[in-house]
Amino acid sequence: MCIVDAKNPKIPLITTITPHSLRIVAVANAINDPPPQNSQPLPQNSPQRLLKELAERRRLTSPKKKSPPRRFILRPPLDDKNLAERFLKSPQLTLKSFPLLSSCLPSSRLNAADKAWIDDYLLEAKQALGYPLEPSASLNDDNPAKQLDTLLYLAFQHPGFERSRARHVRCGHSRLFFLGQYVLELAFAEFFLQRYPREGPGPMRERVFGLIGKSMMPRWIKEASLHNLVFPFDDMDKLVRKDREPPVKSVFWALFGAIYLCFGMPEVYRILFEVFGMDPDADYCQPKLRRQLEDVDYVSTEFEAKISWQDMVAYKPPADALFAHPRLFRACVPPGMHRFRGNIWDYDSKPKVMQTLGYPQEMNDISPDITEARNIELGLGLQLCFLHPSKYKLEHPRFCYERLEYLGQKIQDLVIAERLLMKHLDAPGLWLQNRHRRLLMNKYCARYLRAKHLHHYIVYAESVQDKYEQNRRLRNPTNTAVQQALHGLSYAVYGKRDVRRLMFEVFDVEQVQPKEV
């Protein structure tokens, strides 16, 4: 007898059957087979009876056929009418007078669960922050603070909360979180540039990290008595760092995003230094000791005494001020720059740079003398933007673009963040963060400057001129720094609107240019 394989009939499996090769396998399933008619019922404590009942229960509670995961279920797309109706009813399209604020509202109206949290916890948050306890919805429509209750609610819904599972809550919180980090960076950059007019960006970055590093944020949240809202069911002091710091950082940044949208930058300073009680002179935020170059140049008389946060909030430029932020300009452009008027760069390179950037801008000034003075200062600021540290920094530490670069980096971060929020209404904060990082990569910022052929006007020291022109690894960071310094000067002279013009009309940062083949 021969058994043939069905797949390959030419190869026999067993040629002959012997008594040793023939085995009989019997399977008995006493559990599933019905008992015989004349058999006695199993005792109450019988193992066979218990196994039979367990198998029956498993069959009823967990059937073999499982439903597919939700991500594989294809939902029919919304038709155009329902999709348009959904977008038009979204709160993000209700505030046409405040587009940035409107873009950070939740994508759908708050439901009963959201309002229950507001009724239970929002009064405690407003009391800790020093706001009136009345509902903000009673304010006028032309007041952005009308949305304070909604934005404060979103700010406290960090990813560990149960309410953060709702899509409109999760997305709204992440968008505020995305905006708030750049608001804080710009606020501290402006404050420390004016408070320490002779200091370099390195020590100022260390001061900022000492105040709002992620290890310090739980301290400020507890100082303001907001820790019970961040951790309503846990003791924050007993949590380990990896469970304590990420939720606190998420709430901290989102909170300042909400405050900036409703009240602007002065209120950010009040919350930082009055509610949280930050002290810029404390030991924990002092920079490490380093060798300081002797600064022989003088500073403006406005900075003879240390500027406090109250001075930052109360300061208003005079009506005939040359610049949008005159004190910030004086903090970044030293008065000694006037000694460079009439040099070769001023006559040869400055007209080409101003023509490429579209300067000077038309302004409605009281007299032509003000316009002429502004244009002179603008030219000196442009020359400072193109002064590499290798040229004069050893003799005059502030005769380089470093302070303007520090300011420009922060203002361009905030401007592109606002642009992305208003452009992508349905995008979560993590996606916006990745997009933001890709647009402002250092290699792209350097490419934006080279695309306008402005890198030819950078002034290097004679000893390093050839080295920087031939070495790409040295040249790229310099091009990036000059491009960011131009944004800092634009912000100090003309304000944020001119930064938008430079970024989106002159440099066109949203169009990432591929490398030439």
Side-chain angles (χ1 to χ4, degrees):
M1 181 178 179
C2 180
I3 300 176
V4 180
D5 188 359
K7 296 182 179 179
N8 197 346
K10 294 183 179 180
I11 302 176
L13 293 181
I14 303 175
T15 55
T16 59
I17 296 179
T18 61
H20 299 286
S21 62
L22 183 61
R23 296 179 182 178
I24 299 174
V25 180
V27 179
N29 192 351
I31 297 176
N32 295 329
D33 292 344
Q37 296 295 331
N38 55 356
S39 63
Q40 296 294 331
L42 296 172
Q44 190 71 21
N45 297 330
S46 172
Q48 289 82 1
R49 183 186 183 95
L50 295 177
L51 288 173
K52 182 179 179 181
E53 292 179 359
L54 181 61
E56 186 69 18
R57 185 174 300 176
R58 283 180 178 172
R59 186 180 66 82
L60 294 176
T61 56
S62 58
K64 293 182 180 180
K65 186 178 180 181
K66 295 182 179 180
S67 58
R70 292 186 60 185
R71 63 179 180 271
F72 296 130
I73 299 177
L74 297 178
R75 297 181 179 178
L78 291 175
D79 57 353
D80 294 341
K81 181 180 179 181
N82 292 338
L83 189 62
E85 186 177 358
R86 172 184 160 189
F87 274 102
L88 291 175
K89 287 184 177 180
S90 170
Q92 292 180 333
L93 297 179
T94 56
L95 300 181
K96 297 181 180 179
S97 55
F98 305 108
L100 179 61
L101 171 60
S102 180
S103 67
C104 292
L105 292 175
S107 56
S108 59
R109 300 191 181 277
L110 300 182
N111 53 34
D114 302 325
K115 294 177 180 177
W117 191 97
I118 292 177
D119 295 339
D120 292 341
Y121 298 103
L122 192 64
L123 292 180
E124 184 179 350
K126 295 174 76 172
Q127 185 176 11
L129 296 172
Y131 294 126
L133 303 183
E134 293 78 13
S136 63
S138 59
L139 298 176
N140 297 329
D141 292 338
D142 57 349
N143 190 348
K146 183 174 183 178
Q147 308 297 328
L148 177 64
D149 289 0
T150 302
L151 294 180
L152 282 182
Y153 164 67
L154 293 177
F156 282 97
Q157 308 308 309
H158 62 81
F161 262 16
E162 183 180 357
R163 286 302 309 144
S164 64
R165 298 175 185 174
R167 184 181 181 278
H168 66 286
V169 176
R170 181 178 68 252
C171 188
H173 173 83
S174 63
R175 290 167 72 87
L176 286 178
F177 168 88
F178 166 68
L179 176 65
Q181 56 182 320
Y182 302 115
V183 170
L184 284 172
E185 291 283 345
L186 179 63
F188 276 112
E190 291 190 30
F191 178 62
F192 285 135
L193 280 169
Q194 299 177 47
R195 187 177 175 87
Y196 304 102
R198 295 180 182 271
E199 204 168 75
M204 284 187 280
R205 293 179 191 273
E206 292 177 14
R207 294 179 189 276
V208 174
F209 181 77
L211 283 174
I212 57 170
K214 65 178 181 179
S215 60
M216 291 295 295
M217 290 181 188
R219 171 178 177 174
W220 305 130
I221 289 291
K222 194 165 186 179
E223 288 284 340
S225 302
L226 295 173
H227 55 286
N228 291 330
L229 299 178
V230 183
F231 302 102
F233 308 110
D234 298 304
D235 186 357
M236 185 178 72
D237 297 331
K238 295 182 180 180
L239 295 174
V240 295
R241 288 185 59 180
K242 66 180 182 65
D243 294 334
R244 178 177 66 242
E245 290 178 357
V248 170
K249 183 179 76 171
S250 179
V251 171
F252 193 85
W253 285 357
L255 184 63
F256 281 99
I259 293 169
Y260 172 74
L261 291 172
C262 291
F263 301 105
M265 198 63 84
E267 186 68 10
V268 171
Y269 288 113
R270 186 189 74 84
I271 299 295
L272 283 172
F273 297 108
E274 189 175 282
V275 176
F276 290 143
M278 295 186 182
D279 183 10
D281 293 326
D283 294 336
Y284 52 78
C285 64
Q286 298 308 309
K288 61 183 179 182
L289 294 177
R290 64 191 77 198
R291 187 183 64 173
Q292 294 285 345
L293 297 171
E294 184 182 0
D295 195 347
V296 298
D297 195 19
Y298 60 92
V299 296
S300 179
T301 56
E302 298 176 88
F303 308 119
E304 291 180 354
K306 276 188 178 180
I307 290 178
S308 64
W309 72 268
Q310 290 91 346
D311 297 331
M312 291 285 299
V313 172
Y315 177 75
K316 293 182 179 179
D320 57 345
L322 294 178
F323 315 114
H325 303 280
R327 197 162 62 183
L328 191 58
F329 179 88
R330 295 298 173 201
C332 294
V333 181
M337 280 298 297
H338 278 272
R339 74 186 66 178
F340 293 100
R341 289 184 62 187
N343 63 2
I344 296 178
W345 195 95
D346 199 11
Y347 279 107
D348 185 27
S349 302
K350 188 183 78 172
K352 302 173 185 176
V353 172
M354 295 186 74
Q355 182 180 5
T356 302
L357 299 178
Y359 286 144
Q361 293 285 299
E362 294 184 2
M363 302 289 289
N364 296 323
D365 296 318
I366 302 174
S367 67
D369 295 336
I370 296 178
T371 305
E372 183 181 1
R374 180 190 299 109
N375 294 341
I376 291 174
E377 297 280 3
L378 175 64
L380 295 176
L382 285 175
Q383 187 167 351
L384 185 64
C385 289
F386 286 87
L387 270 183
H388 190 264
S390 63
K391 185 67 174 174
Y392 297 111
K393 186 178 180 181
L394 292 179
E395 297 83 12
H396 303 277
R398 285 180 290 141
F399 285 179
C400 63
Y401 53 63
E402 285 184 346
R403 289 170 67 86
L404 282 174
E405 175 200 359
Y406 179 52
L407 175 63
Q409 180 186 5
K410 304 308 176 185
I411 186 60
Q412 78 173 15
D413 281 345
L414 182 60
V415 166
I416 196 67
E418 293 178 355
R419 172 86 165 196
L420 291 175
L421 283 168
M422 291 186 287
K423 189 174 181 180
H424 306 281
L425 291 178
D426 57 341
L430 181 60
W431 186 90
L432 295 174
Q433 185 73 59
N434 293 333
R435 178 71 174 163
H436 184 282
R437 188 180 296 114
R438 288 178 180 275
L439 287 174
L440 296 182
M441 290 176 68
N442 286 343
K443 63 176 183 179
Y444 290 147
C445 291
R447 193 180 300 171
Y448 301 145
L449 187 81
R450 290 195 296 270
K452 297 298 177 182
H453 304 286
L454 293 175
H455 58 292
H456 302 298
Y457 307 116
I458 301 177
V459 181
Y460 300 99
E462 289 78 5
S463 58
V464 299
Q465 178 86 27
D466 296 337
K467 184 188 299 183
Y468 273 85
E469 288 182 352
Q470 296 173 7
N471 192 328
R472 178 178 57 84
R473 291 184 180 274
L474 294 176
R475 186 175 64 242
N476 269 355
T478 303
N479 296 344
T480 300
V482 171
Q483 194 255 3
Q484 293 173 347
L486 290 174
H487 290 148
L489 178 69
S490 171
Y491 177 65
V493 176
Y494 293 111
K496 193 188 290 186
R497 62 177 180 83
D498 194 61
V499 179
R500 297 191 188 100
R501 183 189 68 85
L502 279 185
M503 293 186 72
F504 306 122
E505 296 180 17
V506 177
F507 292 119
D508 200 10
V509 300
E510 289 185 304
Q511 304 297 326
V512 178
Q513 304 162 2
K515 290 184 179 181
E516 296 182 1
V517 180

